[in-house]
Amino acid sequence: MGKGLTTLLLSCVLFSLCASSFAQTCKSYAFSSNKIFTSCQDLPVLSAFLHWSYDQSTNKVDIAYRHTGTSTSRWVAWAINPTGTGMIGAQALVAYQNSSSVMHVYTSPVSGYGTTLAEGALSFAVSNLSATFENSNEMTIFATLALGSGMTTVNQVWQEGPLSGDSPMSHDTASSSANMKSAGSLDFLNDQATTSAGGGLTSRQRRQNVHGVLNAVSWGTLMPLGAMIARYLKVFKSANPAWFYLHVACQTSAYAIGVAGWATGLKLGSEASSVIQYDTHRNIGITLFCLGTLQVFALLLRPKKDHKYRLYWNIYHHSVGYSVIILSIINIYEGLDILAPEKKWKKIYSGILIFMGVVAAILEAFTWFIVIKRKRTSSEKYPAYGNGVNGGNGYAARTENGV
Ligand SMILES: *[C@@H]1O[C@H](CO)[C@@H](O)[C@H](O)[C@H]1NC(C)=O
């Protein structure tokens, strides 16, 4: 009953995590032109996506506005509004397929609600303007915008509507329609680890920190601690079976916190930039999640102590466990390099590891001491049956050699 419930819960968690990580996001999109943008955002309505690369030395931004679920009888537009939050004042890029069956793309400053999206120059320079129509329902506008140095956080508006011949007509204006919700703010530096103007953290940085702390605590600290509990408490007869429950409690909570940390990482990765840069970190993270989950199943599928398969189970449980610990530590350093927090954090984590390493070394020596001593006493007590209780065949052989 308990096992069944746990298995069911685990499957649900697994399923929903996988489902959400495979949901369509801008991050997983590859442009057919092989263009690469460092950042992207899934816009909340109208199945639209904004991809961009911001160059801080020139304040120029390359953008691609991708609008899915459209057709040749509709227009699409994306705009920055430097003076307001809605449509009035929007500096728009507009595209549609015109009557010559060519994608027509142009700039249009919007000054009133009755706009027909007439062509005109924008308040900032636009170059490399082009548009594509692909997969019979996807329009993308490409452009390079030369923004002022203060314009790294802007208000954006995106829109779509019907065409009449070669003229864009008014979009849906029903107050409940998605077309009335297609505006929001955009931070071109969102994915870079710089502090915001107020000296505070951006929401992304806060979430990155949460991700880092959750994983450093769970995979990076609790997991090795739990392994140490199993390895070093086991020798004390009085700690039996307490060590087992401590080990399970430690690893289960580490796994629970670790999965939360892992999920925040997937979310951060799916929103963000630099696909290539974070690949190693992401792949190790996914591997860790799988190995960690295997360990939880290992607990549920554990054969009895005297079962003939117990030896194989032990080998499997130990090798997966040690791999998890090694990979976790590697990935925490990978993550620290990506986040690049103040140096002290790397030092603090290294300090924790060194401390645990020293404690483990001392306990390791102590364990060997106890085990050998125990074998020696038992063979002194029962010299003829030295291979009895502890299965000390090897020791019996060694005593014969006078060791
Ligand atoms: C269609 O758009 C292309 C590209 O902007 C333009 O050269 C062409 O004149 C347009 N055709 C019509 C009928 O407006």
Side-chain angles (χ1 to χ4, degrees):
M1 175 66 199
K3 275 186 190 178
L5 197 66
T6 322
T7 317
L8 186 73
L9 267 174
L10 265 174
S11 325
C12 287
V13 169
L14 263 176
F15 177 78
S16 49
L17 285 169
C18 291
S20 64
S21 61
F22 289 124
Q24 212 222 348
T25 63
C26 61
K27 179 72 183 293
S28 57
Y29 186 79
F31 285 89
S32 56
S33 54
N34 290 328
K35 262 194 167 110
I36 299 211
F37 295 90
T38 56
S39 312
C40 71
Q41 200 179 70
D42 299 324
L43 299 175
V45 291
L46 298 178
S47 338
F49 306 87
L50 188 73
H51 302 253
W52 75 89
S53 301
Y54 191 87
D55 181 348
Q56 273 180 286
S57 60
T58 59
N59 298 310
K60 282 189 175 177
V61 57
D62 281 324
I63 64 119
Y65 169 71
R66 196 158 61 83
H67 195 123
T68 64
T70 186
S71 76
T72 51
S73 59
R74 301 190 78 80
W75 56 269
V76 302
W78 177 84
I80 283 179
N81 192 337
T83 53
T85 53
M87 171 176 164
I88 309 294
Q91 305 293 303
L93 310 174
V94 186
Y96 59 85
Q97 194 180 92
N98 68 14
S99 51
S100 346
S101 295
V102 198
M103 281 305 288
H104 181 51
V105 55
Y106 62 95
T107 59
S108 172
V110 177
S111 54
Y113 289 111
T115 181
T116 53
L117 293 176
E119 287 198 43
L122 303 187
S123 61
F124 45 82
V126 177
S127 52
N128 303 327
L129 194 57
S130 68
T132 59
F133 182 60
E134 288 177 314
N135 309 326
S136 55
N137 72 355
E138 227 175 277
M139 282 183 195
T140 308
I141 300 176
F142 297 93
T144 302
L145 317 177
L147 300 173
S149 59
M151 282 178 74
T152 56
T153 301
V154 296
N155 293 313
Q156 60 175 336
V157 191
W158 60 103
Q159 203 47 272
E160 63 87 44
L163 279 178
S164 168
D166 280 336
S167 311
M169 308 298 284
S170 170
H171 62 77
D172 190 346
T173 53
S175 60
S176 61
S177 76
N179 299 70
M180 302 302 280
K181 300 185 183 107
S182 50
S185 82
L186 166 65
D187 181 358
F188 285 124
L189 305 180
N190 193 22
D191 293 319
Q192 298 184 10
T194 49
T195 43
S196 64
L201 297 175
T202 64
S203 110
R204 182 176 170 80
Q205 286 169 327
R206 251 193 304 276
R207 287 181 297 133
Q208 283 178 321
N209 287 348
V210 169
H211 167 74
V213 171
L214 285 178
N215 288 314
V217 167
S218 58
W219 301 97
T221 311
L222 284 176
M223 293 252 182
L225 188 70
M228 284 167 64
I229 289 175
R231 183 164 175 82
Y232 301 122
L233 283 189
K234 217 189 299 193
V235 276
F236 299 106
K237 293 217 171 83
S238 57
N240 200 6
W243 72 264
F244 175 75
Y245 294 108
L246 269 173
H247 174 63
V248 169
C250 195
Q251 304 311 56
T252 313
S253 39
Y255 179 76
I257 303 171
V259 168
W262 182 73
T264 56
L266 278 190
K267 180 84 172 61
L268 284 165
S270 71
E271 289 164 2
S273 64
S274 318
V275 190
I276 304 145
Q277 199 183 331
Y278 302 163
D279 256 3
T280 321
H281 185 64
R282 179 190 164 83
N283 293 341
I284 298 180
I286 292 172
T287 310
L288 273 173
F289 171 74
C290 296
L291 293 179
T293 307
L294 261 184
Q295 289 293 70
V296 177
F297 280 110
L299 170 73
L300 302 179
L301 301 174
R302 186 174 81 263
K304 289 226 154 51
K305 251 203 168 93
D306 44 11
H307 194 282
K308 60 179 173 184
Y309 290 142
R310 178 64 178 228
L311 174 69
Y312 301 109
W313 183 87
N314 280 346
I315 293 172
Y316 147 81
H317 185 62
H318 289 156
S319 50
V320 174
Y322 286 120
S323 311
V324 165
I325 290 170
I326 292 165
L327 282 176
S328 297
I329 292 171
I330 292 175
N331 221 23
I332 281 162
Y333 281 104
E334 282 279 330
L336 282 167
D337 285 342
I338 293 170
L339 265 185
E342 285 176 68
K343 281 216 171 62
K344 67 172 182 197
W345 292 109
K346 204 174 205 168
K347 285 190 188 146
I348 288 175
Y349 184 63
S350 303
I352 293 174
L353 282 188
I354 291 171
F355 175 73
M356 287 200 296
V358 170
V359 171
I362 294 171
L363 289 175
E364 186 73 36
F366 188 64
T367 305
W368 280 99
F369 171 74
I370 299 251
V371 168
I372 289 173
K373 196 174 135 197
R374 224 174 251 167
K375 283 186 178 165
R376 191 162 290 163
T377 355
S378 72
S379 67
E380 273 162 14
K381 269 192 202 152
Y382 318 100
Y385 313 101
N387 55 358
V389 187
N390 292 316
N393 272 321
Y395 184 72
R398 272 184 281 148
T399 40
E400 278 163 29
N401 296 333
V403 176

